[in-house]
Amino acid sequence: TQKMAELLGLGDECGEGALGASALSGTCLADNRLNLDVYPDGCCRFLQLFEGRRGEVVQVEFLRLSSNDHLLGTTLGILPLLKHLKSLVLKGGHARDEFGSCQHGSLTSLPSGVGNLRCLTHLDLSFNSLSTLPSCILHLPSLRMLLVSHNSLVALPEDFGSLSKLTFFSAMKNQLKDLPQSIGELAVLQVLDLSENALEFLPEEVGNLHNCTELDLSGNRLSSIPDSLANLKSLQRLHLHSNLLMTVPASLASLPSLSRLDLQNNCLRAVPAEIQTSPFVRLRGNPLGETEPSQQAGESSARGLQRLFLASGEDSFTVTSEGCRVILACGIHFYFPPGAASDPLRIYFRTLAPDPQWVKLRHHDVLLSRVLELQPHGVKFQQEVQIRMPYACPQTLHQREVVVRTFSGQSWSDLRTRVEQKRKSKKHVAHCSVLHFSWFLVVSRLVQNECKVPAEGTLLFSSVDPNIKVTFPPGVTEETRSVKLQVLPVSAEEIEEIMADAGCRASPLLCLSQDSLVDFLRPVRIQLPLPPGVTGLNLDRSRLHLLHGDVEGQTWDDITSQVVLEFTHLYAVFEVTHFSWYWLWYTTKTYIGGIAKKVYERLRMYQVNFIALQRKKDPEQVLLQCVPKHKVDPVLKKLQDRYRGPEPSDMVEMFEGEQFFAAFERGISIDMDRPDCVDGRLSFIFYSHLKNMKEIYVTSPVDRKGQAVKGQVSFYRGAVPKSIPEDASRRRKGPDSLWLATLPIKLPRLKPRWGENLGHLNGFSFPPLNLGNVETGYLTQANLLGIARRIGADWQTIGLNLGLTYQQIERIGYNNREDLDKQILDMLFSWAQQNSENPDCVSKLITAMKESGRQDIADEVETIVELGRQKYRESICRVGLEQESSTEDSAIAMM
């Protein structure tokens, strides 16, 4: 847009005029741009280009390089020769460490000659290792946008205010402790982001930034702010959350342009009435109304332990040596005791959908939560940090236990866990304490009994079935080793249902494991109860089989003839030297190993049904869900007011953590790109206690203006393949078939509807829109139209959470009275136009949807932008960017 062009100053202000060189040819030099950060050897390519085509390279206006490149140092020396350069991006974060975290680039300084780039208006040095701001930056006469976020800056130069044309400055996530007084000399500065630093006070001169529209000071250590902020008459958004503020000046409420004042998670016990009653103020997470603690106590007691309540859009918080309590919007709690962190530490968090590629569940485990990731990975605390994770209550806790499981980067291990049920909410919470941060999740496992086995021997009982015991004789081991015991009870009814044979019986299934790879030096004595209904008096030894299973339960060997079995009235006793699965069977069947494998697999399976429903108000929106059999009726009852569709599928069986996918067939296809969709097939992972539900918009290549489309959706086992085998789609029965179920989908005859013309949306005409940027993901005008179609009556709440004023909402409602579609379009596209140059607008849209109770739309937007990010990262097949139609694209693509 024109405003963005003015912000970047990409006209002829340098005095150089338009470049005289002809259009550059070749795949790397396109439209005077070099986008080499998508290549792992981008600097090498740049050096080759410079050597072979120097005349063209020195005409480049836009240049992007990765500072993770090992040849960056050699490349930097060439930069001062690029006299026409307008935008320079030297960012890190393109490489990741073993834990998946972005690695900062190696950039620590810039050549002094960079200060002679008279045309440079945009400089991005984010995700690097800068401890001081390169002095040459202060000599850039045309610089308008400067980004140095995610570095290690502790201070800004005293003459920082000499950057007189600066309109945008971001130094978020550094270590700044104070600001120079000259910052007040940035007369045309519009956006200042100093979030997540270590600022303890602000100079009065900040009040001289009269053109500033957005000021972000969140995540610092400010206990007060200067009264001079009341002079910022252009200020629209002021972010002060997650500080240590004790007071705020009442004059902030009188700022004429202010539409958002975020004071959440501070130490405010009282605020002026003018601020407390303002609709644009956020105050959650403050001890409002609480009395000051006794001053006789120590400093820590006097201030009390800080409590932080984080909103759904936040992803980090700061922990100091004083400790704090943190409550996330998803219900996860943290307790950092005083002294847990010696220095201020920024903690980043996110919750992830479990990926079976690395979330490895053991047999008979049940996943009860999403994955919680806490960064920095591997950070060590001085005292244990307490984590409380809500989880889905398992169907039964009998013979099972709930534990928190953590990933070290190499393997998963279970933590000592305490569980409770909250009295009011009835929610279940798992408590654990840790000294490190990584990944965490909650699982239900078979009850595990363990003990240390010394050289003198010991005895281990099962708490699930005390009749099961393991005796370790003296001399069984030379060094102490740890042994674990788990028991899976198997009822006679289960065996009869699976086998359809009342004559089959089996004992509880015993699993033994140890932390040593060496077999025991002496036989270990195991006692198992005889199968139900079998005693030592009526025992027919020819029908009794002792089975030994491998770790995965895939092979079951009959070892009855290899061991000495002793019997009492109720028990069978035998000796072994190594551990695995052991199972007693009583049957007349001959191929007992194959039968045991079948029963073992069935014991791990869940009976489920598939649901495919369409929204009553919008049949193109389809809800797909895989539901355990006992939950089908409650789920359908909950959805029946908003959805309609066929009866659930026939019952099928699935493993916990099994992958499957949905394919739309017979004239129906998916309406959008999303990360979990490959060639129109939507991937799922079945977890019995988590929601296996997705909503998606569908369309059809068939002309629906004259007829309805009767299609279907089919479900298949496994990950999404390149193609569904022909026999799998044709042969729909048998144990080897990939096909699970098929349900009908009907798209009604298409009626004329608003939003078909993207150029003139129901009377509204807007220039082309691209919200966001190439790295965070774009939202196009078509995406916004799809979002508008789903908003409905919530448009006013969403508009307010997007930052529109009550007066704007009322005017939109009045101007488009009696036409809900026009009201929605006017609200959404007006906001988009106002925020088209804001790089953070997409995340604000997601946050607004969550705050408005529209998690479904928020999830949809997140999938769109994530797909955009993936496509950008995978775009190493091209270097130069094609010229876009809007000035904004050409500018923001460099950010």
Side-chain angles (χ1 to χ4, degrees):
T1 64
Q2 183 177 359
K3 187 172 182 180
M4 177 58 76
E6 293 172 355
L7 189 66
L8 285 172
L10 296 181
D12 294 334
E13 191 173 310
C14 304
E16 299 288 334
L19 292 177
S22 59
L24 299 174
S25 60
T27 58
C28 289
L29 287 169
D31 301 321
N32 290 354
R33 305 182 185 195
L34 270 177
N35 222 42
L36 293 170
D37 57 338
V38 295
Y39 283 87
D41 58 347
C43 287
C44 180
R45 291 170 181 258
F46 177 81
L47 294 172
Q48 292 173 351
L49 281 171
F50 183 75
E51 181 179 351
R53 301 167 63 181
R54 178 175 303 194
E56 295 172 284
V57 172
V58 296
Q59 300 292 323
V60 165
E61 295 178 335
F62 301 88
L63 175 63
R64 296 178 65 98
L65 293 169
S66 168
S67 57
N68 294 112
D69 197 307
H70 70 284
L71 290 178
L72 178 68
T74 306
T75 307
L76 291 177
I78 299 176
L79 297 182
L81 303 178
L82 309 183
K83 300 297 184 181
H84 299 280
L85 205 58
K86 294 180 179 179
S87 176
L88 175 61
V89 177
L90 301 172
K91 289 180 64 174
H94 295 275
R96 295 180 178 271
D97 61 19
E98 59 181 324
F99 298 110
S101 298
C102 292
Q103 289 185 331
H104 284 225
S106 59
L107 187 70
T108 57
S109 63
L110 290 175
S112 59
V114 171
N116 298 324
L117 299 178
R118 298 175 57 243
C119 296
L120 194 65
T121 61
H122 170 234
L123 179 61
D124 188 347
L125 306 176
S126 304
F127 278 100
N128 277 296
S129 305
L130 298 173
S131 57
T132 59
L133 195 71
S135 58
C136 62
I137 292 178
L138 303 179
H139 301 296
L140 294 170
S142 303
L143 192 63
R144 293 176 178 269
M145 302 187 72
L146 176 60
L147 297 89
V148 289
S149 58
H150 295 270
N151 276 278
S152 304
L153 300 175
V154 295
L156 297 176
E158 288 298 325
D159 53 346
F160 185 72
S162 62
L163 294 172
S164 59
K165 295 186 179 181
L166 202 63
T167 60
F168 182 101
F169 178 55
S170 174
M172 68 178 298
K173 296 184 181 176
N174 277 274
Q175 301 168 23
L176 297 175
K177 297 181 179 179
D178 53 33
L179 300 175
Q181 294 180 351
S182 65
I183 198 168
E185 300 172 13
L186 302 174
V188 297
L189 190 67
Q190 297 177 19
V191 178
L192 177 58
D193 186 353
L194 298 170
S195 59
E196 300 182 33
N197 279 278
L199 297 174
E200 296 184 359
F201 66 91
L202 298 175
E204 289 283 343
E205 287 76 10
V206 172
N208 297 332
L209 303 174
H210 300 298
N211 283 299
C212 188
T213 61
E214 181 162 4
L215 177 58
D216 194 340
L217 298 165
S218 58
N220 281 280
R221 306 198 68 195
L222 298 172
S223 57
S224 63
I225 54 176
D227 294 334
S228 62
L229 289 189
N231 299 329
L232 303 180
K233 304 302 182 183
S234 300
L235 196 62
Q236 299 176 13
R237 295 174 293 277
L238 177 56
H239 306 277
L240 290 166
H241 68 80
S242 305
N243 275 279
L244 304 174
L245 294 177
M246 308 290 287
T247 60
V248 289
S251 55
L252 292 181
S254 62
L255 289 172
S257 303
L258 198 63
S259 61
R260 185 175 183 89
L261 174 58
D262 194 343
L263 296 169
Q264 298 179 96
N265 298 326
N266 278 282
C267 302
L268 298 170
R269 300 184 183 278
V271 295
E274 302 94 315
I275 290 181
Q276 193 159 9
T277 58
S278 297
F280 53 77
V281 178
R282 302 290 186 269
L283 288 167
R284 185 181 178 188
N286 284 283
L288 295 174
E290 296 183 11
T291 58
E292 191 76 22
S294 171
Q295 296 299 319
Q296 296 178 354
E299 180 182 352
S300 177
S301 300
R303 300 181 63 178
L305 203 60
Q306 186 184 16
R307 294 180 301 170
L308 303 179
F309 296 85
L310 302 188
S312 57
E314 299 179 78
D315 65 351
S316 63
F317 56 89
T318 298
V319 177
T320 68
S321 59
E322 299 169 1
C324 63
R325 296 182 183 273
V326 183
I327 298 94
L328 307 188
C330 59
I332 296 174
H333 289 224
F334 304 101
Y335 169 65
F336 295 85
S342 55
D343 298 312
L345 177 65
R346 195 71 184 175
I347 302 295
Y348 300 90
F349 64 87
R350 60 176 177 166
T351 57
L352 308 168
D355 184 343
Q357 297 298 321
W358 63 280
V359 176
K360 301 294 185 182
L361 294 179
R362 302 159 192 162
H363 287 192
H364 310 289
D365 282 350
V366 178
L367 186 62
L368 302 179
S369 75
R370 288 169 62 90
V371 179
L372 169 66
E373 182 183 11
L374 298 173
Q375 295 182 340
H377 294 142
V379 63
K380 299 293 184 180
F381 293 99
Q382 305 300 316
Q383 297 187 49
E384 287 190 335
V385 176
Q386 296 180 20
I387 303 177
R388 300 172 60 190
M389 295 182 63
Y391 63 89
C393 180
Q395 299 174 22
T396 176
L397 283 174
H398 182 57
Q399 300 159 347
R400 303 188 69 86
E401 58 189 356
V402 173
V403 294
V404 176
R405 187 166 291 172
T406 184
F407 187 61
S408 65
Q410 300 294 330
S411 61
W412 291 90
S413 59
D414 294 343
L415 301 172
R416 188 182 300 275
T417 306
R418 179 172 60 88
V419 298
E420 69 170 5
Q421 184 177 10
K422 295 183 178 180
R423 293 181 180 178
K424 293 184 179 180
S425 64
K426 303 298 182 181
K427 291 183 178 179
H428 295 261
V429 180
H431 298 246
C432 67
S433 298
V434 297
L435 288 169
H436 74 283
F437 272 179
S438 59
W439 291 268
F440 302 88
L441 51 83
V442 183
V443 298
S444 170
R445 70 180 186 189
L446 298 177
V447 172
Q448 182 171 285
N449 302 112
E450 58 184 303
C451 70
K452 296 291 185 181
V453 180
E456 55 268 25
T458 189
L459 184 64
L460 177 61
F461 283 90
S462 167
S463 59
V464 172
D465 187 343
N467 296 314
I468 299 176
K469 65 179 181 179
V470 182
T471 304
F472 299 89
V476 71
T477 180
E478 292 181 349
E479 297 182 356
T480 301
R481 62 180 78 182
S482 178
V483 172
K484 298 176 181 178
L485 177 154
Q486 290 178 298
V487 172
L488 176 63
V490 184
S491 68
E493 291 75 18
E494 288 178 302
I495 297 293
E496 183 176 347
E497 180 183 355
I498 296 172
M499 297 296 300
D501 183 355
C504 284
R505 295 285 188 273
S507 71
L509 185 54
L510 171 64
C511 178
L512 292 170
S513 60
Q514 60 166 323
D515 61 356
S516 175
L517 298 177
V518 180
D519 286 347
F520 289 99
L521 302 180
R522 296 188 59 188
V524 176
R525 191 175 181 84
I526 299 175
Q527 173 182 293
L528 283 179
L530 291 171
V534 179
T535 68
L537 299 178
N538 61 8
L539 176 66
D540 181 352
R541 291 200 174 201
S542 65
R543 298 177 58 185
L544 190 70
H545 303 270
L546 176 62
L547 303 182
H548 166 267
D550 63 4
V551 176
E552 296 297 324
Q554 294 296 310
T555 303
W556 292 89
D557 297 322
D558 189 343
I559 61 171
T560 310
S561 60
Q562 302 173 25
V563 300
V564 177
L565 277 171
E566 302 175 10
F567 300 98
T568 67
H569 182 62
L570 299 175
Y571 310 117
V573 181
F574 57 95
E575 293 183 339
V576 297
T577 56
H578 64 278
F579 281 174
S580 186
W581 292 95
Y582 292 98
W583 209 354
L584 270 179
W585 274 74
Y586 193 73
T587 178
T588 57
K589 304 288 185 180
T590 54
Y591 183 52
I592 188 62
I595 296 174
K597 178 181 177 181
K598 175 183 177 181
V599 173
Y600 180 81
E601 288 183 350
R602 288 287 299 273
L603 290 173
R604 294 176 52 215
M605 285 184 169
Y606 291 84
Q607 296 180 338
V608 301
N609 300 89
F610 294 98
I611 294 174
L613 303 176
Q614 295 171 264
R615 273 193 184 267
K616 292 180 179 179
K617 294 184 178 180
D618 188 357
E620 293 180 354
Q621 187 170 356
V622 178
L623 181 149
L624 304 178
Q625 189 167 5
C626 176
V627 187
K629 183 176 68 174
H630 69 282
K631 295 182 179 179
V632 170
D633 290 340
V635 168
L636 290 177
K637 185 176 181 180
K638 185 178 180 181
L639 297 172
Q640 64 184 1
D641 292 337
R642 294 173 294 149
Y643 297 85
R644 67 164 60 96
E647 291 294 315
S649 71
D650 292 337
M651 186 271 295
V652 298
E653 294 182 327
M654 302 193 74
F655 294 112
E656 181 83 1
E658 183 174 357
Q659 290 183 273
F660 66 99
F661 64 93
F664 289 92
E665 302 164 341
R666 295 188 177 179
I668 295 182
S669 57
I670 295 176
D671 192 29
M672 62 169 292
D673 289 334
R674 44 190 288 170
D676 56 356
C677 180
V678 181
D679 294 332
R681 295 162 190 155
L682 198 62
S683 63
F684 289 80
I685 304 168
F686 172 72
Y687 292 107
S688 59
H689 286 68
L690 303 183
K691 285 187 177 180
N692 305 285
M693 181 268 287
K694 294 183 181 182
E695 281 193 86
I696 193 164
Y697 267 75
V698 298
T699 186
S700 175
V702 179
D703 185 3
R704 292 169 51 203
K705 294 181 179 179
Q707 63 179 354
V709 176
K710 295 181 180 180
Q712 64 186 29
V713 58
S714 294
F715 299 89
Y716 298 88
R717 293 190 190 275
V720 178
K722 294 182 179 179
S723 62
I724 300 176
E726 182 181 351
D727 62 337
S729 57
R730 184 180 66 249
R731 177 175 52 83
R732 304 216 158 179
K733 290 183 179 180
D736 298 326
S737 175
L738 298 178
W739 175 81
L740 292 168
T742 295
L743 293 171
I745 298 289
K746 180 179 179 181
L747 294 181
R749 180 178 176 181
L750 194 62
K751 299 178 181 179
R753 58 190 301 174
W754 61 270
E756 291 184 349
N757 188 338
L758 299 182
H760 297 276
L761 303 172
N762 236 20
F764 300 105
S765 179
F766 297 106
L769 278 172
N770 268 335
L771 298 184
N773 59 58
V774 72
E775 292 179 2
T776 61
Y778 279 123
L779 280 183
T780 65
Q781 193 176 67
N783 296 142
L784 288 175
L785 179 64
I787 293 169
R789 289 162 56 187
R790 304 167 206 191
I791 288 178
D794 296 325
W795 73 271
Q796 291 174 310
T797 303
I798 293 172
L800 291 172
N801 286 323
L802 283 172
L804 300 180
T805 64
Y806 289 98
Q807 292 79 8
Q808 288 175 300
I809 295 294
E810 290 177 357
R811 184 174 66 252
I812 291 172
Y814 178 79
N815 291 342
N816 307 284
R817 52 192 177 278
E818 299 181 1
D819 193 331
L820 177 62
D821 294 339
K822 285 188 176 181
Q823 291 171 347
I824 296 170
L825 286 170
D826 196 354
M827 178 276 295
L828 187 60
F829 279 83
S830 296
W831 170 83
Q833 282 297 115
Q834 296 171 14
N835 292 269
S836 59
E837 74 276 12
N838 184 350
D840 198 34
C841 60
V842 174
S843 63
K844 291 185 177 181
L845 177 61
I846 294 172
T847 300
M849 292 300 176
K850 292 179 179 179
E851 292 176 347
S852 305
R854 295 305 301 268
Q855 183 70 39
D856 58 325
I857 300 180
D859 292 343
E860 203 72 23
V861 176
E862 287 178 331
T863 59
I864 293 172
V865 297
E866 175 61 25
L867 182 64
R869 285 193 289 264
Q870 288 185 3
K871 287 184 175 179
Y872 172 74
R873 290 193 292 264
E874 296 168 358
S875 62
I876 60 173
C877 59
R878 61 187 178 93
V879 184
L881 296 177
E882 296 181 359
Q883 186 156 358
E884 302 294 336
S885 58
S886 67
T887 308
E888 177 191 358
D889 290 337
S890 62
I892 201 69
M894 295 297 106
M895 294 179 60

